[in-house]
Coordinates of all heavy atoms in Angstrom, one line a residue:
E123 N -7.4 16.2 12.5 CA -8.1 15.0 12.5 C -7.1 13.9 12.7 O -5.9 13.9 12.3 CB -8.6 14.8 10.9 CG -9.4 13.6 10.8 CD -9.7 13.1 9.5 OE1 -9.7 14.1 8.6 OE2 -9.7 12.0 9.1
K124 N -7.6 12.8 13.4 CA -6.7 11.7 13.7 C -6.0 11.0 12.8 O -4.8 10.6 12.8 CB -7.5 10.7 14.7 CG -6.6 9.7 15.3 CD -7.3 8.8 16.3 CE -6.2 7.8 16.6 NZ -6.8 6.9 17.6
A125 N -6.7 10.8 11.5 CA -6.2 10.0 10.4 C -4.9 10.7 9.9 O -4.0 10.1 9.5 CB -7.2 9.9 9.3
L126 N -4.9 12.1 9.9 CA -3.7 12.8 9.5 C -2.5 12.6 10.3 O -1.5 12.4 9.8 CB -4.0 14.3 9.2 CG -4.9 14.6 8.0 CD1 -5.2 16.3 8.2 CD2 -4.2 14.4 6.8
G127 N -2.9 12.7 11.5 CA -1.7 12.4 12.5 C -1.2 11.0 12.5 O 0.1 10.8 12.4
V128 N -2.1 10.0 12.2 CA -1.6 8.6 12.0 C -0.9 8.5 10.7 O 0.1 7.8 10.7 CB -2.7 7.7 12.3 CG1 -2.5 6.2 11.9 CG2 -3.3 7.8 13.6
F129 N -1.2 9.2 9.7 CA -0.6 9.1 8.5 C 0.7 9.6 8.6 O 1.7 8.9 8.1 CB -1.4 9.8 7.4 CG -0.8 9.8 6.2 CD1 -0.8 8.6 5.3 CD2 0.0 10.9 5.6 CE1 -0.2 8.6 4.0 CE2 0.7 10.9 4.3 CZ 0.6 9.7 3.6
E130 N 1.0 10.6 9.3 CA 2.5 11.3 9.5 C 3.3 10.2 10.4 O 4.4 10.1 9.9 CB 2.2 12.6 10.4 CG 1.8 13.7 9.5 CD 1.4 15.0 10.2 OE1 1.8 15.1 11.3 OE2 0.9 15.9 9.6
K131 N 2.7 9.6 11.3 CA 3.5 8.5 12.0 C 3.9 7.3 11.0 O 5.1 7.0 11.0 CB 2.6 7.8 13.1 CG 2.6 8.8 14.3 CD 1.7 8.2 15.4 CE 1.9 6.8 15.8 NZ 1.0 6.3 16.8
A132 N 2.9 7.0 10.2 CA 3.2 6.0 9.2 C 4.3 6.4 8.3 O 5.2 5.5 7.9 CB 1.9 5.6 8.5
E133 N 4.1 7.6 7.8 CA 5.3 8.1 6.9 C 6.6 8.2 7.4 O 7.6 7.8 7.0 CB 5.0 9.5 6.6 CG 3.7 9.6 5.5 CD 4.0 9.0 4.1 OE1 4.4 10.0 3.2 OE2 3.8 7.9 3.9
A134 N 6.6 8.5 8.9 CA 7.9 8.4 9.6 C 8.5 6.9 9.6 O 9.7 6.8 9.4 CB 7.7 8.9 11.0
H135 N 7.5 6.0 9.9 CA 8.0 4.6 10.0 C 8.6 4.2 8.6 O 9.6 3.5 8.5 CB 6.9 3.7 10.5 CG 6.5 3.8 11.8 ND1 7.4 3.7 12.9 CD2 5.3 3.9 12.3 CE1 6.7 3.9 14.0 NE2 5.5 3.9 13.7
F136 N 7.8 4.6 7.6 CA 8.2 4.3 6.2 C 9.6 4.8 5.9 O 10.4 3.9 5.3 CB 7.1 4.7 5.3 CG 7.3 4.2 3.8 CD1 6.7 3.0 3.3 CD2 8.1 5.0 2.8 CE1 6.8 2.7 2.0 CE2 8.2 4.6 1.6 CZ 7.6 3.3 1.2
A137 N 9.7 6.0 6.2 CA 11.1 6.7 5.9 C 12.2 6.1 6.6 O 13.4 6.0 6.1 CB 11.0 8.2 6.2
A138 N 12.0 5.5 7.7 CA 12.9 4.8 8.6 C 12.9 3.4 8.1 O 13.8 2.6 8.9 CB 12.5 5.0 10.0
R139 N 12.3 2.9 7.3 CA 12.2 1.5 6.6 C 11.7 0.6 7.7 O 12.1 -0.6 7.8 CB 13.7 1.2 6.2 CG 14.1 2.0 5.1 CD 15.5 1.6 4.3 NE 15.4 0.3 3.9 CZ 14.8 0.0 2.6 NH1 14.2 0.9 1.9 NH2 14.9 -1.3 2.2
R140 N 10.8 1.1 8.8 CA 10.2 0.3 9.7 C 8.8 -0.1 9.1 O 7.8 0.4 9.6 CB 10.1 1.0 10.9 CG 11.5 1.1 11.7 CD 11.4 1.6 13.1 NE 10.5 2.8 13.2 CZ 10.9 4.1 13.2 NH1 12.3 4.3 13.0 NH2 10.1 5.1 13.4
F141 N 9.0 -0.9 8.1 CA 7.7 -1.3 7.3 C 6.5 -2.0 8.1 O 5.5 -1.6 8.1 CB 8.0 -2.1 6.1 CG 9.0 -1.3 5.0 CD1 10.2 -1.9 4.9 CD2 8.6 0.0 4.6 CE1 11.1 -1.2 4.1 CE2 9.5 0.5 3.7 CZ 10.8 0.0 3.6
A142 N 7.0 -2.8 9.0 CA 6.0 -3.6 9.8 C 5.4 -2.7 10.7 O 4.1 -2.8 11.2 CB 6.7 -4.6 10.6
D143 N 6.1 -1.5 11.3 CA 5.4 -0.6 12.1 C 4.4 0.3 11.4 O 3.5 0.8 11.9 CB 6.4 0.3 12.8 CG 7.3 -0.6 13.8 OD1 6.8 -1.6 14.3 OD2 8.5 -0.2 14.0
A144 N 4.7 0.5 10.1 CA 3.9 1.4 9.3 C 2.6 0.7 8.8 O 1.7 1.5 8.7 CB 4.8 1.9 8.1
V145 N 2.6 -0.5 8.7 CA 1.4 -1.3 8.1 C 0.1 -0.9 9.0 O -0.8 -0.5 8.4 CB 1.7 -2.6 8.0 CG1 0.5 -3.5 7.9 CG2 2.6 -3.2 6.7
P146 N 0.2 -1.3 10.2 CA -1.2 -0.9 10.9 C -1.6 0.6 10.9 O -2.8 0.9 11.0 CB -0.9 -1.4 12.4 CG 0.6 -1.4 12.5 CD 1.3 -1.7 11.2
E147 N -0.5 1.4 10.8 CA -0.9 2.7 10.9 C -1.6 3.2 9.5 O -2.5 3.9 9.4 CB 0.4 3.6 10.8 CG 1.3 3.3 12.2 CD 0.6 3.9 13.5 OE1 -0.3 4.5 13.4 OE2 1.3 3.7 14.4
Y148 N -1.0 2.6 8.3 CA -1.7 2.9 7.0 C -3.0 2.3 6.9 O -4.0 2.8 6.4 CB -0.8 2.4 5.9 CG 0.4 3.3 5.5 CD1 1.8 2.7 5.5 CD2 0.3 4.6 5.3 CE1 2.8 3.5 5.2 CE2 1.3 5.4 5.0 CZ 2.7 4.9 5.0 OH 3.7 5.6 4.6
E149 N -3.2 1.1 7.6 CA -4.5 0.4 7.7 C -5.5 1.3 8.3 O -6.6 1.4 7.9 CB -4.4 -1.0 8.3 CG -3.8 -1.9 7.4 CD -4.6 -2.5 6.4 OE1 -5.7 -2.0 6.0 OE2 -4.1 -3.5 5.6
F150 N -5.0 1.9 9.5 CA -6.0 2.7 10.2 C -6.4 3.9 9.3 O -7.6 4.1 9.3 CB -5.3 3.3 11.4 CG -6.2 4.4 12.1 CD1 -7.2 3.9 13.0 CD2 -6.0 5.6 11.9 CE1 -8.0 4.8 13.6 CE2 -6.8 6.7 12.5 CZ -7.8 6.1 13.4
V151 N -5.5 4.5 8.6 CA -5.7 5.7 7.8 C -6.8 5.2 6.7 O -7.8 5.9 6.4 CB -4.5 6.3 7.2 CG1 -4.9 7.4 6.2 CG2 -3.7 6.9 8.3
I152 N -6.6 4.3 6.0 CA -7.5 3.7 5.0 C -8.9 3.3 5.6 O -9.8 3.7 5.0 CB -7.0 2.3 4.5 CG1 -5.7 2.8 3.5 CG2 -7.9 1.7 3.5 CD1 -4.8 1.5 3.0
S153 N -8.9 2.9 6.8 CA -10.3 2.6 7.4 C -10.9 3.9 7.7 O -12.2 4.0 7.7 CB -10.1 1.7 8.6 OG -9.5 2.4 9.7
A154 N -10.3 4.9 8.1 CA -10.8 6.2 8.5 C -11.3 7.0 7.1 O -12.2 7.7 7.1 CB -10.0 7.1 9.3
R155 N -10.2 6.9 6.1 CA -10.4 7.7 5.0 C -10.2 6.8 3.7 O -9.2 7.0 3.1 CB -9.5 8.9 4.9 CG -9.8 9.8 6.3 CD -9.1 11.0 6.1 NE -9.3 11.9 5.1 CZ -8.6 13.0 4.7 NH1 -7.7 13.4 5.6 NH2 -8.9 13.8 3.7
D156 N -11.1 6.0 3.4 CA -10.9 5.0 2.4 C -10.8 5.6 0.9 O -10.5 4.9 0.0 CB -12.0 3.9 2.4 CG -13.5 4.4 1.9 OD1 -13.6 5.5 2.0 OD2 -14.1 3.6 1.4
R157 N -11.2 6.9 0.7 CA -11.0 7.4 -0.6 C -9.6 8.2 -0.7 O -9.4 8.6 -1.8 CB -12.1 8.4 -0.9 CG -13.4 7.6 -0.9 CD -14.6 8.3 -1.6 NE -14.3 8.5 -3.1 CZ -14.4 7.6 -4.0 NH1 -14.7 6.2 -3.8 NH2 -14.2 7.9 -5.3
W158 N -8.8 8.1 0.3 CA -7.5 8.9 0.2 C -6.6 7.8 -0.4 O -6.3 6.7 0.2 CB -7.1 9.2 1.5 CG -5.7 10.0 1.6 CD1 -5.1 10.5 0.6 CD2 -5.1 10.5 2.9 NE1 -4.0 11.3 1.0 CE2 -3.9 11.1 2.4 CE3 -5.4 10.2 4.2 CZ2 -3.1 11.7 3.4 CZ3 -4.5 10.7 5.1 CH2 -3.4 11.5 4.7
K159 N -6.0 8.0 -1.6 CA -5.2 7.0 -2.2 C -3.9 6.8 -1.9 O -3.4 5.6 -1.7 CB -5.3 7.3 -3.9 CG -6.6 7.3 -4.4 CD -6.7 7.9 -5.6 CE -8.1 8.3 -6.2 NZ -8.2 8.8 -7.5
K160 N -3.2 7.8 -1.4 CA -1.6 7.6 -1.1 C -1.4 6.5 0.0 O -0.6 5.8 -0.1 CB -1.1 9.1 -0.6 CG 0.4 9.0 -0.3 CD 0.9 10.3 -0.2 CE 2.4 10.3 -0.1 NZ 3.0 11.6 0.1
P161 N -2.2 6.4 1.1 CA -2.0 5.3 1.9 C -2.0 4.0 1.4 O -1.2 3.1 1.9 CB -3.1 5.5 3.1 CG -3.5 7.0 3.0 CD -3.4 7.3 1.6
Y162 N -2.9 3.7 0.4 CA -2.9 2.5 -0.2 C -1.6 2.2 -0.9 O -1.0 1.0 -0.8 CB -4.0 2.4 -1.3 CG -5.5 2.3 -0.9 CD1 -6.3 3.5 -0.8 CD2 -6.1 1.1 -0.5 CE1 -7.6 3.4 -0.4 CE2 -7.4 1.0 -0.1 CZ -8.2 2.3 0.0 OH -9.4 2.2 0.4
L163 N -1.2 3.1 -1.6 CA 0.1 3.0 -2.3 C 1.3 2.7 -1.4 O 2.0 1.8 -1.8 CB 0.4 4.1 -3.2 CG -0.6 4.4 -4.3 CD1 -0.5 5.7 -5.0 CD2 -0.5 3.2 -5.4
K164 N 1.3 3.3 -0.4 CA 2.4 3.2 0.5 C 2.3 1.9 1.3 O 3.3 1.3 1.5 CB 2.3 4.4 1.7 CG 2.7 5.8 1.0 CD 4.0 5.8 0.2 CE 5.3 6.3 1.0 NZ 5.3 7.6 1.5
L165 N 1.1 1.5 1.7 CA 0.8 0.2 2.3 C 1.3 -0.9 1.4 O 2.0 -1.9 1.8 CB -0.7 0.0 2.7 CG -1.1 -1.2 3.3 CD1 -0.3 -1.6 4.7 CD2 -2.6 -1.4 3.5
A166 N 1.0 -0.8 0.1 CA 1.3 -1.9 -0.9 C 2.9 -1.9 -0.8 O 3.6 -3.0 -1.0 CB 0.8 -1.6 -2.2
R167 N 3.7 -0.7 -0.8 CA 5.0 -0.7 -0.9 C 5.7 -1.4 0.4 O 6.7 -1.9 0.4 CB 5.6 0.8 -1.1 CG 5.3 1.4 -2.4 CD 6.5 1.3 -3.2 NE 6.2 1.7 -4.6 CZ 6.3 3.1 -5.0 NH1 6.5 4.0 -4.2 NH2 6.0 3.2 -6.3
C168 N 5.0 -1.1 1.6 CA 5.4 -1.8 2.9 C 5.4 -3.2 2.5 O 6.3 -4.0 2.9 CB 4.6 -1.4 3.9 SG 4.8 0.3 4.5
H169 N 4.3 -3.8 2.1 CA 4.1 -5.3 2.1 C 5.1 -5.8 1.1 O 5.8 -6.7 1.3 CB 2.7 -5.6 1.6 CG 1.7 -5.5 2.7 ND1 1.8 -6.2 3.7 CD2 0.6 -4.8 2.7 CE1 0.8 -6.1 4.6 NE2 0.0 -5.2 4.0
E170 N 5.4 -5.1 0.0 CA 6.4 -5.4 -1.1 C 7.8 -5.6 -0.4 O 8.6 -6.4 -0.6 CB 6.3 -4.6 -2.3 CG 7.3 -4.9 -3.3 CD 7.4 -4.1 -4.5 OE1 6.8 -3.0 -4.6 OE2 8.0 -4.5 -5.6
S171 N 8.1 -4.5 0.4 CA 9.4 -4.4 0.9 C 9.7 -5.4 1.9 O 10.9 -5.9 2.2 CB 9.5 -3.0 1.6 OG 9.6 -2.0 0.7
M172 N 8.7 -6.0 2.5 CA 8.7 -7.0 3.6 C 8.6 -8.5 2.8 O 8.7 -9.4 3.5 CB 7.6 -7.0 4.6 CG 7.9 -5.7 5.5 SD 6.7 -5.7 6.8 CE 5.0 -5.7 6.0
G173 N 8.5 -8.4 1.4 CA 8.4 -9.6 0.7 C 7.0 -10.3 0.7 O 6.9 -11.5 0.3
H174 N 6.1 -9.6 1.0 CA 4.7 -9.8 0.8 C 4.1 -9.4 -0.3 O 3.0 -8.6 -0.2 CB 3.9 -9.7 2.1 CG 4.5 -9.8 3.3 ND1 4.4 -9.3 4.5 CD2 5.4 -11.0 3.7 CE1 5.1 -9.8 5.6 NE2 5.6 -10.9 5.1
E175 N 4.5 -9.9 -1.6 CA 3.9 -9.3 -2.7 C 2.4 -9.5 -2.9 O 1.7 -8.6 -3.3 CB 4.8 -9.8 -3.9 CG 6.2 -9.2 -4.0 CD 7.2 -9.9 -3.2 OE1 6.9 -10.8 -2.6 OE2 8.4 -9.5 -3.2
E176 N 2.1 -10.8 -2.7 CA 0.7 -11.1 -2.9 C -0.3 -10.1 -2.0 O -1.3 -9.7 -2.5 CB 0.3 -12.6 -2.5 CG 1.1 -13.5 -3.4 CD 0.5 -13.6 -4.7 OE1 -0.6 -13.1 -5.1 OE2 1.2 -14.3 -5.7
Q177 N 0.2 -9.9 -0.8 CA -0.5 -8.9 0.2 C -0.5 -7.6 -0.5 O -1.6 -6.8 -0.5 CB 0.0 -9.0 1.5 CG -0.8 -8.2 2.5 CD -2.2 -8.7 2.7 OE1 -2.3 -10.1 2.6 NE2 -3.2 -7.9 2.9
A178 N 0.6 -7.0 -1.0 CA 0.6 -5.8 -1.8 C -0.4 -5.7 -2.9 O -1.0 -4.7 -3.1 CB 2.0 -5.6 -2.3
V179 N -0.5 -6.8 -3.7 CA -1.5 -7.0 -4.9 C -2.9 -6.7 -4.3 O -3.7 -5.9 -4.8 CB -1.3 -8.3 -5.5 CG1 -2.6 -8.4 -6.4 CG2 0.0 -8.2 -6.4
K180 N -3.3 -7.5 -3.1 CA -4.5 -7.3 -2.4 C -4.9 -5.7 -2.1 O -6.0 -5.2 -2.4 CB -4.8 -8.1 -1.3 CG -4.8 -9.6 -1.7 CD -4.9 -10.4 -0.5 CE -4.9 -12.0 -1.0 NZ -4.7 -12.8 0.2
V181 N -3.9 -5.0 -1.6 CA -4.0 -3.7 -1.2 C -4.3 -2.9 -2.4 O -5.1 -2.0 -2.4 CB -2.9 -3.2 -0.5 CG1 -2.8 -1.7 -0.2 CG2 -2.5 -3.8 0.8
L182 N -3.6 -3.0 -3.6 CA -3.8 -2.3 -4.7 C -5.1 -2.6 -5.3 O -5.8 -1.7 -5.9 CB -2.7 -2.5 -5.7 CG -1.4 -1.9 -5.3 CD1 -0.3 -2.5 -6.2 CD2 -1.3 -0.5 -5.2
E183 N -5.6 -3.9 -5.2 CA -7.0 -4.2 -5.6 C -8.1 -3.6 -4.9 O -9.0 -3.0 -5.5 CB -7.1 -5.8 -5.7 CG -6.3 -6.5 -6.8 CD -6.3 -8.0 -6.7 OE1 -6.6 -8.5 -5.5 OE2 -6.0 -8.6 -7.6
R184 N -7.9 -3.4 -3.5 CA -8.7 -2.6 -2.9 C -8.7 -1.1 -3.3 O -9.9 -0.6 -3.3 CB -8.3 -2.5 -1.3 CG -8.6 -3.9 -0.6 CD -8.0 -4.1 0.8 NE -8.1 -3.1 1.6 CZ -7.3 -2.7 2.8 NH1 -6.2 -3.6 2.9 NH2 -7.4 -1.7 3.6
L185 N -7.7 -0.5 -3.6 CA -7.6 0.9 -4.0 C -8.4 1.0 -5.4 O -9.2 1.9 -5.4 CB -6.1 1.3 -4.3 CG -6.0 2.4 -5.1 CD1 -6.6 3.7 -4.4 CD2 -4.4 2.8 -5.4
L186 N -8.3 -0.1 -6.3 CA -8.9 0.1 -7.5 C -10.4 -0.2 -7.4 O -11.3 0.0 -8.2 CB -8.3 -0.9 -8.5 CG -6.8 -0.4 -8.8 CD1 -6.2 -1.4 -9.8 CD2 -6.8 1.0 -9.6
K187 N -10.9 -0.7 -6.3 CA -12.3 -0.9 -6.0 C -12.9 0.4 -5.7 O -14.0 0.8 -6.0 CB -12.6 -1.9 -4.9 CG -12.5 -3.4 -5.4 CD -12.9 -4.3 -4.3 CE -12.8 -5.7 -4.8 NZ -12.5 -6.7 -3.9
V188 N -12.0 1.2 -4.9 CA -12.5 2.6 -4.5 C -12.5 3.5 -5.8 O -13.4 4.3 -5.9 CB -11.6 3.2 -3.4 CG1 -11.9 4.6 -3.2 CG2 -11.7 2.3 -2.2
D189 N -11.4 3.4 -6.6 CA -11.3 4.1 -7.8 C -10.7 3.3 -8.9 O -9.5 3.3 -9.1 CB -10.5 5.4 -7.5 CG -10.4 6.4 -8.7 OD1 -10.9 6.0 -9.8 OD2 -9.6 7.4 -8.6
P190 N -11.6 2.8 -9.7 CA -11.1 2.0 -10.8 C -10.2 2.6 -11.8 O -9.6 2.0 -12.7 CB -12.4 1.4 -11.4 CG -13.5 1.5 -10.4 CD -13.0 2.7 -9.6
T191 N -10.2 4.0 -11.9 CA -9.5 4.7 -12.8 C -8.1 5.3 -12.4 O -7.5 6.0 -13.2 CB -10.4 5.9 -13.4 OG1 -10.5 7.0 -12.3 CG2 -11.7 5.6 -13.9
D192 N -7.7 4.8 -11.0 CA -6.5 5.3 -10.5 C -5.3 4.9 -11.4 O -5.0 3.7 -11.3 CB -6.4 5.1 -9.0 CG -5.2 5.8 -8.3 OD1 -5.3 6.8 -8.2 OD2 -4.3 5.0 -8.1
G193 N -4.6 5.8 -12.0 CA -3.5 5.5 -12.8 C -2.3 4.9 -12.0 O -1.8 3.9 -12.4
P194 N -1.8 5.7 -10.9 CA -0.8 5.1 -10.3 C -1.1 3.8 -9.6 O -0.1 2.8 -9.7 CB -0.5 6.1 -9.0 CG -1.1 7.4 -9.7 CD -2.3 7.0 -10.5
G195 N -2.3 3.5 -9.2 CA -2.6 2.3 -8.7 C -2.7 1.1 -9.6 O -2.1 0.0 -9.5
K196 N -3.2 1.4 -10.9 CA -3.1 0.5 -11.9 C -1.6 0.2 -12.4 O -1.2 -1.1 -12.6 CB -3.9 1.0 -13.1 CG -5.3 1.1 -13.1 CD -5.8 1.8 -14.3 CE -7.2 1.3 -14.6 NZ -7.7 2.1 -15.9
A197 N -0.8 1.2 -12.4 CA 0.7 1.0 -12.8 C 1.3 0.1 -11.7 O 2.2 -0.8 -12.2 CB 1.3 2.3 -12.8
E198 N 1.1 0.5 -10.5 CA 1.7 -0.3 -9.4 C 1.3 -1.8 -9.5 O 2.1 -2.7 -9.3 CB 1.5 0.2 -8.0 CG 2.3 1.4 -7.6 CD 3.7 0.9 -7.4 OE1 4.0 0.3 -6.4 OE2 4.6 1.4 -8.2
L199 N 0.0 -2.0 -9.7 CA -0.6 -3.4 -9.7 C 0.1 -4.2 -10.8 O 0.4 -5.2 -10.7 CB -2.1 -3.3 -9.8 CG -2.9 -4.7 -9.9 CD1 -2.5 -5.5 -8.5 CD2 -4.3 -4.5 -10.0
A200 N 0.2 -3.5 -12.0 CA 0.8 -4.2 -13.2 C 2.3 -4.6 -13.0 O 2.6 -5.6 -13.2 CB 0.6 -3.2 -14.6
R201 N 3.0 -3.4 -12.3 CA 4.3 -3.8 -12.0 C 4.6 -5.0 -11.1 O 5.3 -5.9 -11.3 CB 5.0 -2.5 -11.5 CG 6.5 -2.7 -11.2 CD 7.1 -1.5 -10.4 NE 6.5 -1.3 -9.2 CZ 6.8 -2.1 -8.0 NH1 7.7 -3.1 -8.1 NH2 6.3 -1.8 -6.9
L202 N 3.8 -5.0 -10.0 CA 3.8 -6.1 -9.0 C 3.4 -7.3 -9.5 O 4.0 -8.4 -9.4 CB 2.9 -5.7 -7.7 CG 3.6 -5.1 -6.6 CD1 2.5 -4.9 -5.6 CD2 4.6 -6.0 -6.1
Q203 N 2.3 -7.4 -10.3 CA 1.9 -8.7 -11.0 C 3.0 -9.2 -12.0 O 3.3 -10.4 -11.9 CB 0.6 -8.7 -11.7 CG -0.7 -8.4 -10.7 CD -1.9 -8.1 -11.4 OE1 -1.9 -7.4 -12.4 NE2 -2.9 -8.4 -10.7
A204 N 3.7 -8.4 -12.6 CA 4.8 -8.8 -13.6 C 5.9 -9.3 -12.8 O 6.5 -10.3 -13.0 CB 5.3 -7.7 -14.5
R205 N 6.3 -8.6 -11.6 CA 7.3 -9.1 -10.7 C 7.1 -10.6 -10.2 O 7.8 -11.4 -10.1 CB 7.5 -8.1 -9.6 CG 8.7 -8.5 -8.6 CD 8.9 -7.3 -7.8 NE 10.0 -7.8 -6.9 CZ 10.1 -7.6 -5.5 NH1 9.2 -6.8 -4.8 NH2 11.0 -8.0 -4.9
I206 N 5.8 -10.7 -9.7 CA 5.3 -12.0 -9.1 C 5.4 -13.1 -10.2 O 5.9 -14.2 -9.8 CB 3.9 -11.9 -8.6 CG1 4.0 -11.0 -7.3 CG2 3.4 -13.2 -8.3 CD1 2.4 -10.6 -6.8
E207 N 5.0 -12.8 -11.3 CA 5.1 -13.7 -12.5 C 6.5 -14.1 -12.8 O 6.9 -15.3 -13.0 CB 4.3 -13.2 -13.6 CG 4.2 -14.2 -14.8 CD 3.3 -15.4 -14.4 OE1 2.3 -15.1 -13.5 OE2 3.7 -16.6 -15.0
S208 N 7.5 -13.0 -12.8 CA 8.9 -13.4 -13.0 C 9.5 -14.2 -12.0 O 10.4 -15.0 -12.3 CB 9.5 -12.1 -13.4 OG 9.9 -11.5 -12.1
M209 N 9.1 -14.1 -10.7 CA 9.6 -14.8 -9.5 C 9.1 -16.3 -9.7 O 9.8 -17.2 -9.2 CB 9.1 -14.3 -8.2 CG 9.7 -12.9 -8.0 SD 9.4 -12.0 -6.5 CE 8.1 -12.8 -5.8
R210 N 8.0 -16.5 -10.3 CA 7.5 -18.0 -10.4 C 8.1 -18.8 -11.5 O 8.2 -20.0 -11.5 CB 6.1 -17.8 -10.8 CG 5.1 -17.4 -9.5 CD 3.6 -17.6 -9.8 NE 2.9 -17.1 -8.7 CZ 1.8 -16.4 -8.8 NH1 1.3 -16.1 -9.9 NH2 1.2 -16.0 -7.7
K211 N 8.9 -18.0 -12.5 CA 9.4 -18.8 -13.6 C 10.7 -19.2 -13.1 O 11.4 -18.6 -12.3 CB 9.7 -17.8 -14.8 CG 8.4 -17.4 -15.4 CD 8.7 -16.4 -16.6 CE 7.4 -15.9 -17.2 NZ 7.5 -14.9 -18.1
P212 N 11.1 -20.5 -13.5 CA 12.4 -21.1 -13.1 C 13.6 -20.4 -13.6 O 13.6 -19.6 -14.7 CB 12.3 -22.4 -13.7 CG 11.3 -22.6 -14.6 CD 10.4 -21.3 -14.4

């Protein structure tokens, strides 16, 4: 299946810290297989690594719309929201 091949490419970009290259690959996988959770988590990490924390939050919120009970997604969202909040404090 094409989504699996694209996911493997995204994982290679992620491993090489080429986060901007991995983003569209993970987005493709999510559009093809929206119930597969790992691409959401990795996409959120890409955005966070590039300094786009708010975008990472949006990705995790998308994951939690697909599965509101997803533990790793909830934990990542809470961690990111706390990080964003701490960055706002003087």
Side-chain angles (χ1 to χ4, degrees):
E123 184 194 328
K124 184 171 182 180
L126 285 174
V128 174
F129 181 75
E130 288 173 7
K131 280 176 45 181
E133 290 286 272
H135 289 312
F136 188 91
R139 303 186 56 79
R140 291 191 307 269
F141 303 115
D143 293 331
V145 166
E147 308 287 0
Y148 286 126
E149 286 286 6
F150 173 85
V151 174
I152 289 167
S153 70
R155 298 184 63 185
D156 71 334
R157 299 200 60 78
W158 188 8
K159 299 171 190 176
K160 189 172 183 179
Y162 289 95
L163 295 170
K164 294 303 264 300
L165 178 58
R167 290 253 170 94
C168 287
H169 284 302
E170 181 182 10
S171 295
M172 294 186 299
H174 306 152
E175 287 84 1
E176 297 286 349
Q177 190 62 34
V179 165
K180 288 178 184 170
V181 170
L182 294 168
E183 288 171 343
R184 285 168 46 201
L185 166 59
L186 293 174
K187 282 184 182 155
V188 172
D189 181 2
T191 66
D192 185 71
K196 288 173 151 180
E198 280 290 292
L199 182 59
R201 182 188 63 77
L202 260 178
Q203 288 173 327
R205 181 171 179 218
I206 290 168
E207 190 60 35
S208 72
M209 290 178 352
R210 288 186 179 141
K211 292 180 181 171

